[in-house]
């Protein structure tokens, strides 16, 4: 059976990383049976990044590569009816979510206003984590942010980037149904991966305040959460 390796859950969300949760939701929508293994150490993963899957002799990393692999191998059809324009929209949203990822991560590990709440939540839900280990992870992420660029922003300026991404999503997510109609497709899984990791978190960042103020985003997130958690 296919095995998904990703970060552990937090605040009732199956993976506290948007990319792993995206793959989790996609596999549920696709109806592909899988085992879910939660890990913190990504050193054995392709490119040392989570999530990744192991399916027989195949080891696939990167969330988009995983979706493409699973779609081809298992004949997944949830995106089969999409038009070229819809596929282009999906690509643009996916790249925007890549930008949102950095702001979300920054808000957890670097922004001193929210880091203590995130740290305490991790320790509470995962007692095996140590202060030393969390300090190393925080330092590692600070280095990542600096070289990516978001780490050179002041907290409010960094947050403004994420709010702009969410504002674009708010214009695209419909009041009913899913992004491309009555049934979810892979892009809905992708959006859920990131929005759920804002909405369900008990940390009152400007990102969460924006999400909770938009009924269409909340409805979309909660509908997918109910579907993939059952």
């Amino acid at each position: 059976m296919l095995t998904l390796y990703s970060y552990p859950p937090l605040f009732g969300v199956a993976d506290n990383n948007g990319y792993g949760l995206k793959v989790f939701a996609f596999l549920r929508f696709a109806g592909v049976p899988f085992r879910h293994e939660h890990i913190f150490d990504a050193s054995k993963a392709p490119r040392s990044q989570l999530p990744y899957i192991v399916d027989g002799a195949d080891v696939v990393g990167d969330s988009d590569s995983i979706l493409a692999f699973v779609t081809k191998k298992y004949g997944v059809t949830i995106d089969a009816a999409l038009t070229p324009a819809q596929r282009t929209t999906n690509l643009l949203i996916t790249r925007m979510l890549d930008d949102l990822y950095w702001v979300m991560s920054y808000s957890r590990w670097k922004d001193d206003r929210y880091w203590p709440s995130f740290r305490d939540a991790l320790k509470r839900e995962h007692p095996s984590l140590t202060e030393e280990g969390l300090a190393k992870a925080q330092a590692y992420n600070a280095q990542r942010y600096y070289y990516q660029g978001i780490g050179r922003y002041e907290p409010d300026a960094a947050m403004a980037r994420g709010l702009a991404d969410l504002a674009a999503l708010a214009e695209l997510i419909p009041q009913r149904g899913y992004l491309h109609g009555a049934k979810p497709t892979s892009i809905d899984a992708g959006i859920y991966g990131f929005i759920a990791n804002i909405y369900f978190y008990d940390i009152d960042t400007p990102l969460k305040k924006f999400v909770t103020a938009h009924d269409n985003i909340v409805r979309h997130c909660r509908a997918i959460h109910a579907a993939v958690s059952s």
Side-chain angles (χ1 to χ4, degrees), residues 29-67:
F29 283 149
V32 176
F34 68 101
R35 295 173 55 246
H36 196 179
E37 294 287 338
H38 296 291
I39 58 176
F40 281 109
D41 183 4
S43 61
K44 295 182 180 179
R47 305 188 189 96
S48 297
Q49 292 180 315
L50 298 178
Y52 73 101
I53 62 169
V54 175
D55 193 14
D58 295 305
V59 180
V60 184
D62 178 76
S63 62
D64 289 334
S65 298
I66 293 170
L67 267 59

Side-chain angles (χ1 to χ4, degrees), residues 106 110 142 144-154:
Y106 177 109
K110 185 174 173 61
R144 292 171 66 229
Y145 304 150
Y146 180 81
Y147 286 111
Q148 189 273 342
I150 196 70
R152 308 180 196 209
Y153 284 62
E154 292 300 316

